Short mmCIF file of all heavy atoms in Angstrom, two decimals:
data_model
loop_
_atom_site.label_atom_id
_atom_site.label_comp_id
_atom_site.label_asym_id
_atom_site.label_seq_id
_atom_site.Cartn_x
_atom_site.Cartn_y
_atom_site.Cartn_z
N LEU A 292 -8.75 -14.49 -84.06
CA LEU A 292 -7.67 -13.53 -83.80
C LEU A 292 -6.77 -14.01 -82.69
O LEU A 292 -7.20 -14.74 -81.79
CB LEU A 292 -8.26 -12.17 -83.41
CG LEU A 292 -9.13 -11.45 -84.43
CD1 LEU A 292 -9.66 -10.15 -83.84
CD2 LEU A 292 -8.33 -11.16 -85.69
N THR A 293 -5.53 -13.58 -82.75
CA THR A 293 -4.62 -13.89 -81.65
C THR A 293 -4.97 -13.01 -80.46
O THR A 293 -5.69 -12.01 -80.61
CB THR A 293 -3.15 -13.62 -82.04
OG1 THR A 293 -3.00 -12.22 -82.25
CG2 THR A 293 -2.75 -14.40 -83.28
N GLU A 294 -4.46 -13.35 -79.30
CA GLU A 294 -4.72 -12.55 -78.10
C GLU A 294 -4.19 -11.13 -78.29
O GLU A 294 -4.84 -10.16 -77.89
CB GLU A 294 -4.06 -13.20 -76.87
CG GLU A 294 -4.48 -12.57 -75.57
CD GLU A 294 -5.98 -12.66 -75.30
OE1 GLU A 294 -6.63 -13.64 -75.70
OE2 GLU A 294 -6.50 -11.71 -74.68
N GLU A 295 -3.06 -10.99 -78.94
CA GLU A 295 -2.48 -9.67 -79.19
C GLU A 295 -3.40 -8.83 -80.10
O GLU A 295 -3.63 -7.65 -79.85
CB GLU A 295 -1.11 -9.81 -79.84
CG GLU A 295 -0.39 -8.50 -80.07
CD GLU A 295 0.98 -8.71 -80.69
OE1 GLU A 295 1.82 -9.36 -80.04
OE2 GLU A 295 1.17 -8.24 -81.82
N GLU A 296 -3.94 -9.46 -81.13
CA GLU A 296 -4.85 -8.75 -82.04
C GLU A 296 -6.13 -8.34 -81.32
O GLU A 296 -6.64 -7.23 -81.53
CB GLU A 296 -5.18 -9.62 -83.24
CG GLU A 296 -4.01 -9.84 -84.18
CD GLU A 296 -4.27 -10.90 -85.23
OE1 GLU A 296 -4.97 -11.90 -84.91
OE2 GLU A 296 -3.77 -10.73 -86.33
N LYS A 297 -6.64 -9.22 -80.46
CA LYS A 297 -7.85 -8.90 -79.68
C LYS A 297 -7.60 -7.68 -78.80
O LYS A 297 -8.41 -6.76 -78.75
CB LYS A 297 -8.26 -10.08 -78.80
CG LYS A 297 -8.81 -11.26 -79.54
CD LYS A 297 -9.12 -12.36 -78.55
CE LYS A 297 -9.37 -13.67 -79.24
NZ LYS A 297 -9.62 -14.75 -78.27
N GLN A 298 -6.47 -7.70 -78.08
CA GLN A 298 -6.15 -6.59 -77.19
C GLN A 298 -5.97 -5.28 -77.95
O GLN A 298 -6.39 -4.22 -77.50
CB GLN A 298 -4.89 -6.90 -76.37
CG GLN A 298 -5.06 -8.01 -75.37
CD GLN A 298 -6.18 -7.74 -74.39
OE1 GLN A 298 -6.34 -6.64 -73.88
NE2 GLN A 298 -6.99 -8.76 -74.11
N ARG A 299 -5.37 -5.34 -79.13
CA ARG A 299 -5.18 -4.13 -79.93
C ARG A 299 -6.53 -3.58 -80.39
O ARG A 299 -6.77 -2.37 -80.35
CB ARG A 299 -4.27 -4.42 -81.13
CG ARG A 299 -3.91 -3.17 -81.90
CD ARG A 299 -2.88 -3.37 -82.99
NE ARG A 299 -3.19 -4.46 -83.88
CZ ARG A 299 -2.43 -5.55 -84.05
NH1 ARG A 299 -1.30 -5.67 -83.40
NH2 ARG A 299 -2.79 -6.50 -84.89
N MET A 300 -7.45 -4.46 -80.79
CA MET A 300 -8.78 -4.01 -81.21
C MET A 300 -9.53 -3.37 -80.06
O MET A 300 -10.17 -2.33 -80.22
CB MET A 300 -9.58 -5.17 -81.78
CG MET A 300 -9.19 -5.58 -83.17
SD MET A 300 -10.24 -6.89 -83.82
CE MET A 300 -11.78 -6.03 -84.04
N ILE A 301 -9.45 -3.99 -78.89
CA ILE A 301 -10.12 -3.45 -77.71
C ILE A 301 -9.55 -2.09 -77.36
O ILE A 301 -10.28 -1.13 -77.10
CB ILE A 301 -10.00 -4.42 -76.52
CG1 ILE A 301 -10.82 -5.69 -76.80
CG2 ILE A 301 -10.42 -3.76 -75.22
CD1 ILE A 301 -10.58 -6.82 -75.83
N LYS A 302 -8.22 -1.97 -77.38
CA LYS A 302 -7.57 -0.70 -77.07
C LYS A 302 -7.98 0.38 -78.07
O LYS A 302 -8.22 1.53 -77.70
CB LYS A 302 -6.05 -0.87 -77.08
CG LYS A 302 -5.30 0.36 -76.69
CD LYS A 302 -3.80 0.13 -76.69
CE LYS A 302 -3.07 1.41 -76.36
NZ LYS A 302 -1.63 1.29 -76.57
N ASP A 303 -8.06 0.03 -79.34
CA ASP A 303 -8.44 1.00 -80.37
C ASP A 303 -9.88 1.46 -80.23
O ASP A 303 -10.23 2.55 -80.68
CB ASP A 303 -8.23 0.41 -81.78
CG ASP A 303 -6.76 0.25 -82.13
OD1 ASP A 303 -5.92 0.88 -81.47
OD2 ASP A 303 -6.47 -0.50 -83.08
N ASP A 304 -10.74 0.64 -79.60
CA ASP A 304 -12.15 1.01 -79.43
C ASP A 304 -12.38 1.96 -78.27
O ASP A 304 -13.45 2.56 -78.16
CB ASP A 304 -13.00 -0.25 -79.22
CG ASP A 304 -13.21 -1.02 -80.51
OD1 ASP A 304 -12.98 -0.43 -81.58
OD2 ASP A 304 -13.59 -2.19 -80.44
#
Side-chain angles (χ1 to χ4, degrees):
L292 297 178
T293 66
E294 190 60 33
E295 183 179 298
E296 291 169 325
K297 289 178 193 178
Q298 292 302 318
R299 187 172 50 241
M300 284 183 70
I301 291 169
K302 184 179 177 189
D303 289 343
D304 285 343

